[in-house]
Structures are given as C-alpha cells and as structure tokens.
C-alpha cells in the first residue's frame, strides 16, 4: 500500500513526490516536480535514512508505518540537514520518542539552529569519516562529503551489500511518480537535463569537493546509489560517474554553442538567430538559442555546463549590461563556471558599451575562459557591414573548436 518501493532485501524507499512546490529552494522552477528520497532499513534495528520536506511528512509517516507497522523506530540517520530532507525530523522525534539520531557534529548544530527542540531529548550519535555502525546484518561506514552540498553532509556505505547513500550527490529534479530505479526510466531522454540543471545550479560551485567524493567512491564496490532526489541507480554507474566527473571538472559534455541573447525590440535577437544560421550553414548544428529574458537562468546555467562554447549577445542598457544578462553572467561566476570559449555580440544605438562591460566581468570573475577577439558590434540593427564580422565570428568559433579537439587528441596520445 501507499507509495513504498523495495530497494533491496531489507531496504525500502519511503519518501515522497512533490508536485505542489513551484520553486525548489524558492528559486528553481520544477515543472516535473521533485522527490524527497527517504529510505527505511528493516534489520535487527529499524533505521530511517533522512526524512522529507515537512509538507510531505504525512506521506513519510504512512510509508514508515506501512513497512514496520507498530514497531518502534530505533535510529534516524541524517546525512544532510537542509530542510528538504531534514524538515520532518522533528515530526519523527515526536512520533518515535525512543529514536536515536545519527548525524555529523555540524548536522546536530544545524538541527538546533533550525529550532528542533526535541533533538536534545534524544540519544545522539555523532559520526565522522570512517566511523561504522552495525544495525544487525548491515554495517554502515560513514564518509564525510563537505560542501556536497552543505558543510555538514555525510554519505554512508552499507558494507554488507554495497548500497551507497549519497545525500544530494547524483540527485535530480523531477518527481519519481512510481518509478524508482534508473533502469525503470529513460534517463538520458527524460532525466538528464533535469539532473544537469540540478547539479549545475545546486552543487556546481563545489566541483573540487565533488571530485574528492568521486575519488572516495572509486574505492568502493558500489551496487546501488541512493541519492536524496531522483532515481536510485543499480546499474550503468559508468554513465552517471562520467557525467559527474565532467561537470565537477567543468568540462563540457559536448562541442556545441549556446547563444544567449538579451534583446529589447528584436534586433539583437535577429543577430543571435543569424549567427545560429551561419553556424549551421558551416556544419555546426549543435546550437541552442536562448532569450535570457524568457529562459530561466537555471536552464541557461545547465546548458553552459553542457556545451563548450557560449555566445553572449546583449543590448546596451543604461550604459551597461542588460539586467537579466548581467544576472546570468554573475550567476555563472557564482557557480564557478570555467573552461569555456566565449564570444560577444554587442548592440547599442548611441553608446555601445555592453561588450566591454561583459568582457570585464568575464575576465575578472570567470576562470580559464577564452574570449574570442572577433566581437560583433551592432549599431541598432544588423547591416551589411556586420556580415563580414559575423562570418569572422563563425570562422573563429569553428577554428577554436578545431584547436580544442587537436589539443585533446594530443593530450590523450
Ligand atoms: Fe536536497 Fe541540499 O538538499
């Protein structure tokens, strides 16, 4: 009954799907919803791994009862205290007054900061890297994963059967809606874009920390990856790990071009579309075009993580960068975007300053990004004189793609 799914012999998914929340963290649109994954181990001891957002506590409680009935809950392990997972901890404490809470030292501090008054009425076990706890047949080893995505984050590994609980890592936006495992969905078709958008916007800033975790994971014999959002992985780990490796090294997944334009009356948009057509003319059809006024910045960021090249086309506004374009560039800086080739198209009717302004921020804030010299400057609308500039920009983009490919081949030899 209810929405429980069996993960392994003794482990159950008891989480919840949320289609009511419009904005995750009150900032990211989630048109496909989101899942809060909570897991319940029924061993000699009963153990809950993380909870759900408080708005979904009813689903969690029903699911727990569905698995253990009137049995008591012995432990709740809190890998990550962000309220989308820790939000129902107080409810668990109230319903299960004998439950022992297991978390990192900082995890407990955050529980108190949130105001969970019941926490200190419970037995507490503080765990750190390398600590183990046995719940019966199953013994768990704890792994510290700071900044993936908060500083208190823990992962844990069931050494008995190879189940790795990864907190936010390997998670995704999107509600599960009955499906649970990666092989029950077409991940590449239906989930990858949301997984990338989730990673790049939420954990993207912390690539080196993710690299540290990937190195630790490489030493484990993993059979299942249980994240706190999205599908549970039970095969095809190489696919997932390769994506995470690329994203956390800020390496593009694909050679291609994102053209992001800020246009007031359609002229800069026309320039962006012209560039897209000219690139396709020359065989580079892996091109996406976004209106920064209409595309949510989280989607722009996701595509920047995916593609190798970025063209910023902006109108001048108040002698500066058009506000939504500036927000996009500053968001790239905040999320540590690096290692991209960037081109600039600027537009201005009487004082075209936006190109220099954008280049200044890129130089100051974005690491290891090359700005191509072939900038296109438009005086209000594209004219014949711009045709040569546009052709030069296309050639320059294609040339840089060729150079990157040759460099990679050399490095791989
Ligand atoms: Fe899904 Fe950082 O919480």
């Amino acid at each position: 009954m209810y929405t429980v799914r069996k993960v392994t012999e003794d482990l159950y998914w008891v989480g919840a799907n949320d289609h009511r929340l419009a904005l995750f963290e009150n900032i990211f649109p989630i048109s496909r919803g989101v899942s809060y994954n909570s897991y319940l181990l029924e061993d000699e001891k009963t153990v809950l791994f993380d909870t759900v957002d408080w708005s979904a506590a009813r689903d969690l409680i029903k699911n727990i009862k569905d698995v253990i009935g009137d049995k008591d809950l012995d432990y709740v392990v809190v890998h990550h205290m962000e309220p989308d997972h820790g939000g129902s901890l107080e409810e668990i404490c109230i319903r299960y007054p004998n439950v022992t809470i297991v978390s990192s030292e900082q995890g407990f501090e955050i529980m108190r900061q949130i105001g969970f008054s019941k926490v200190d009425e419970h037995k507490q076990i503080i765990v750190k890297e390398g600590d183990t706890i046995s719940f019966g047949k199953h013994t768990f080893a704890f792994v510290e994963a700071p900044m993936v995505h908060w500083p208190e984050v823990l992962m844990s590994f069931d050494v008995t059967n190879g189940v790795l609980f990864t907190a936010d890592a390997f998670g995704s936006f999107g509600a599960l809606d009955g499906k649970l495992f990666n092989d029950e969905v077409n991940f590449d078709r239906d989930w990858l874009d949301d997984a990338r958008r989730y990673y790049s916007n939420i954990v993207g800033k912390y690539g080196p920390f993710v690299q540290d975790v990937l190195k630790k994971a490489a030493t484990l014999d993993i059979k299942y990856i249980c994240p706190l959002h999205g599908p549970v992985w039970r095969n095809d780990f190489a696919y997932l790990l390769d994506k995470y490796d690329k994203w956390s090294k800020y390496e593009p997944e694909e050679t291609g071009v994102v053209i992001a334009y800020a246009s007031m009356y359609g002229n800069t948009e026309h320039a962006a579309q012209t560039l897209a057509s000219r690139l396709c003319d020359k065989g580079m059809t892996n091109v996406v075009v976004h209106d920064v006024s209409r595309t949510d910045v989280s989607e722009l960021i996701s595509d920047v993580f995916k593609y190798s090249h970025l063209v910023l086309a902006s109108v001048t506004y108040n002698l500066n960068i058009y506000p939504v374009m500036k927000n996009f560039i500053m968001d790239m800086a905040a999320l540590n975007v690096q290692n991209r080739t960037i081109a600039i198209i600027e537009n201005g009717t009487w004082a075209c300053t936006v190109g220099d302004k954008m280049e200044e921020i890129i130089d100051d804030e974005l690491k290891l990004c090359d700005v191509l010299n072939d900038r296109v400057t438009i005086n209000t609308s594209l004219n014949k004189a711009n045709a040569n500039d546009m052709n030069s920009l296309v050639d320059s983009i294609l040339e840089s793609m060729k150079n990157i490919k040759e460099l990679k081949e050399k490095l791989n030899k």
Side-chain angles (χ1 to χ4, degrees):
M1 264 174 82
Y2 301 122
T3 57
V4 173
R5 291 286 316 266
K6 194 166 189 168
V7 182
T8 65
E9 188 55 32
D10 305 313
L11 186 70
Y12 301 85
W13 180 92
V14 291
N17 292 293
D18 190 346
H19 282 285
R20 292 188 175 197
L21 189 71
L23 297 174
F24 186 81
E25 292 186 351
N26 208 18
I27 188 168
F28 303 113
I30 42 170
S31 59
R32 295 174 58 244
V34 70
S35 74
Y36 312 118
N37 296 346
S38 174
Y39 304 91
L40 182 60
L41 180 76
E42 198 177 22
D43 199 343
E44 286 171 27
K45 301 292 181 187
T46 52
V47 187
L48 184 67
F49 293 90
D50 298 293
T51 69
V52 297
D53 186 273
W54 75 270
S55 64
R58 184 175 58 173
D59 294 12
L60 174 69
I61 298 295
K62 277 183 176 174
N63 283 340
I64 293 171
K65 292 266 179 221
D66 194 33
V67 177
I68 62 172
D70 292 333
K71 270 206 272 184
D72 208 1
L73 182 66
D74 297 310
Y75 293 89
V76 55
V77 175
V78 179
H79 291 106
H80 180 24
M81 245 332 275
E82 190 167 5
D84 53 331
H85 313 292
S88 297
L89 180 63
E90 184 91 330
E91 186 66 28
I92 292 294
C93 290
I94 292 165
R95 299 218 181 211
Y96 296 100
N98 301 316
V99 75
T100 298
I101 307 170
V102 180
S103 193
S104 62
E105 190 169 5
Q106 197 168 12
F108 282 107
E109 276 170 31
I110 295 172
M111 289 170 209
R112 292 182 195 108
Q113 283 170 219
I114 288 175
F116 286 174
S117 55
K118 291 282 170 198
V119 163
D120 287 316
E121 295 172 17
H122 287 258
K123 190 174 168 206
Q124 301 173 359
I125 300 179
I126 295 174
V127 284
K128 53 186 186 328
E129 178 87 17
D131 287 352
T132 60
I133 301 181
S134 175
F135 298 116
K137 276 192 289 177
H138 297 266
T139 298
F140 285 76
F142 289 87
V143 179
E144 289 173 355
M147 302 321 298
V148 187
H149 130 246
W150 279 14
E152 89 297 3
V153 169
L154 289 169
M155 296 186 180
S156 66
F157 184 62
D158 185 342
V159 297
T160 322
N161 61 359
V163 177
L164 180 64
F165 294 86
T166 57
D168 274 337
F170 307 114
S172 177
F173 295 133
L176 289 163
D177 297 343
K179 286 91 64 185
L180 178 63
F181 298 103
N182 66 300
D183 52 26
E184 294 177 334
V185 300
N186 187 331
F187 192 89
D188 204 63
R189 186 191 65 194
D190 299 333
W191 283 82
L192 179 60
D193 285 345
D194 259 339
R196 184 190 309 102
R197 189 164 67 93
Y198 171 87
Y199 173 86
S200 55
N201 286 278
I202 291 187
V203 195
K205 179 179 174 61
Y206 305 112
F209 293 94
V210 176
Q211 278 291 311
D212 288 346
V213 162
L214 290 175
K215 281 184 197 119
K216 289 182 191 178
T219 64
L220 304 174
D221 185 15
I222 299 168
K223 301 286 190 235
Y224 289 81
I225 292 176
C226 293
L228 289 178
H229 304 283
V232 168
W233 288 75
R234 60 182 175 187
N235 51 38
D236 216 3
F237 299 127
Y239 168 93
L240 180 66
L241 293 170
D242 176 61
K243 296 292 179 200
Y244 259 68
D245 190 43
K246 284 201 169 73
W247 296 338
S248 56
K249 285 184 187 156
Y250 304 95
E251 277 179 16
E253 281 169 73
E254 295 181 13
T255 300
V257 188
V258 183
I259 304 174
Y261 68 84
S263 185
M264 292 168 67
Y265 294 104
N267 291 309
T268 310
E269 176 184 5
H270 183 235
Q273 290 291 357
T274 300
L275 176 66
S277 296
R278 299 288 71 78
L279 281 164
C280 291
D281 259 353
K282 295 231 170 158
M284 173 34 69
T285 54
N286 201 16
V287 175
V288 291
V289 178
H290 289 298
D291 179 348
V292 296
S293 297
R294 299 219 167 245
T295 307
D296 189 80
V297 70
S298 67
E299 289 183 28
L300 301 174
I301 292 291
S302 181
D303 269 352
V304 168
F305 270 71
K306 180 176 179 182
Y307 296 104
S308 58
H309 286 61
L310 171 65
V311 179
L312 300 173
S314 181
V315 64
T316 303
Y317 200 81
N318 289 330
L319 292 180
N320 213 313
I321 306 169
Y322 195 69
V324 279
M325 177 63 87
K326 188 168 183 180
N327 179 54
F328 169 41
I329 299 170
M330 294 313 292
D331 208 23
M332 282 195 282
L335 291 167
N336 215 1
V337 166
Q338 46 193 276
N339 193 27
R340 293 297 184 272
T341 304
I342 301 177
I344 287 173
I345 298 175
E346 61 176 349
N347 195 355
T349 300
W350 62 90
C352 187
T353 57
V354 65
D356 285 348
K357 297 276 183 191
M358 291 197 292
E359 191 156 351
E360 208 176 287
I361 300 184
I362 294 164
D363 287 347
D364 290 350
E365 307 277 351
L366 301 186
K367 289 178 211 152
L368 303 171
C369 287
D370 284 335
V371 179
L372 297 176
N373 289 328
D374 296 86
R375 184 191 297 182
V376 175
T377 300
I378 302 163
N379 185 356
T380 310
S381 64
L382 274 185
N383 57 30
K384 279 189 186 160
N386 288 134
N388 284 341
D389 302 337
M390 202 59 97
N391 287 335
S392 299
L393 179 56
V394 169
D395 290 342
S396 180
I397 290 170
L398 297 178
E399 183 66 21
S400 75
M401 286 175 174
K402 206 172 106 200
N403 292 342
I404 292 168
K405 189 168 172 243
E406 284 172 2
L407 185 68
K408 265 193 193 160
E409 281 168 0
K410 232 186 241 173
L411 291 173
N412 287 339
K413 266 184 193 167

